[in-house]
Amino acid sequence: MKLAEMQVSQFADVLASDAPAPGGGSTAALEGALGAALTAMVCGLTVGKKKYAEFQELAESAQKKALDLKARFVDVMDRDTEAFNVVSAAFALPKETDEEKAARSAAIQEGLKGCTKTPFEMMELAMETLELTDSILGKSNASAASDLGVSALSLRAAIQGAWLNVLINIGTLKDKELAEDYRKKGEALLARALPLADKIYEETVKVL
């Protein structure tokens, strides 16, 4: 069963088990999906309200984008676990001969690239969702202001959690150029995302 098809209690039970996956990567993606969903909800509570008539076009557009981002987070949540399973399978390959050792090593490295790609994608999605959330700050239903704050916190957890998963994988990549590229891009995303998440949270607190 795909993670996205599980009930909340099922997901939590599998996460709490000794199964190596799903783990932190899938959890980071779920955090992102929840953040995007909250942003979509706030937009939905703004659409059609006379009090926010001047922001109707923005709310409708942001709602559509937030729902798309939510779906993309859910998709990468499952793909992250699938990528981990590929690496696990590679580690289980035979290593008796030199040829087998070489094939196993190559398979592991290829799998690690996949395990790095998915959490980095989560980081990009979190950044995009934070920017979207910031765009409706102060231009959406004030009754749901706290939900935007929770969205920012969820997205902060998503991008930092995803970053930890990038780091643990690039540390074992033999392709040092690729590893360094991911490190630089990841650090750049964090430098933009964390202050923005904090800004959304802090501005939300001020209006509550």
Side-chain angles (χ1 to χ4, degrees):
M1 179 185 291
K2 288 188 175 183
L3 299 179
E5 297 172 353
M6 290 182 177
Q7 294 183 355
V8 173
S9 58
Q10 286 179 297
F11 183 92
D13 286 344
V14 174
L15 200 62
S17 74
D18 60 1
S26 295
T27 302
L30 179 58
E31 286 279 9
L34 295 174
L38 280 169
T39 295
M41 182 193 79
V42 175
C43 291
L45 291 171
T46 304
V47 172
K49 299 292 192 296
K50 290 182 180 180
K51 185 177 180 180
Y52 305 100
E54 64 181 303
F55 304 123
Q56 291 302 294
E57 188 175 337
L58 171 64
E60 289 175 1
S61 174
Q63 182 183 36
K64 183 178 179 180
K65 291 177 182 176
L67 290 172
D68 177 64
L69 287 161
K70 174 184 69 68
R72 290 163 66 188
F73 267 120
V74 170
D75 175 63
V76 77
M77 178 175 67
D78 273 309
R79 286 192 287 109
D80 185 72
T81 295
E82 290 167 5
F84 177 83
N85 290 336
V86 169
V87 173
S88 294
F91 272 104
L93 290 173
K95 50 181 178 179
E96 297 301 320
T97 67
D98 288 342
E99 290 77 10
E100 287 177 343
K101 289 178 181 178
R104 178 176 177 273
S105 179
I108 290 172
Q109 287 300 309
E110 196 60 33
L112 286 171
K113 290 177 182 178
C115 278
T116 306
K117 181 180 179 180
T118 48
F120 184 76
E121 186 177 335
M122 294 173 204
M123 294 184 72
E124 293 179 316
L125 289 173
M127 183 70 247
E128 189 175 347
T129 312
L130 278 167
E131 290 176 334
L132 180 66
T133 303
D134 184 54
S135 74
I136 64 167
L137 192 63
K139 302 173 183 177
S140 52
N141 196 321
S143 298
S146 61
D147 297 298
L148 281 188
V150 177
S151 172
L153 291 173
S154 294
L155 293 164
R156 196 185 207 283
I159 197 166
Q160 286 186 291
W163 177 233
L164 292 178
N165 280 267
V166 170
L167 287 176
I168 199 169
N169 287 303
I170 63 175
T172 49
L173 277 178
K174 291 182 179 179
D175 186 340
K176 298 307 178 185
E177 186 176 339
L178 178 63
E180 186 59 23
D181 184 53
Y182 270 121
R183 184 181 294 277
K184 288 181 179 179
K185 289 180 179 178
E187 289 175 346
L189 281 172
L190 285 176
R192 292 167 55 203
L194 300 187
L196 183 57
D198 290 344
K199 172 207 167 192
I200 296 169
Y201 175 78
E202 289 163 7
E203 291 193 14
T204 298
V205 170
K206 289 178 183 178
V207 301
L208 296 180

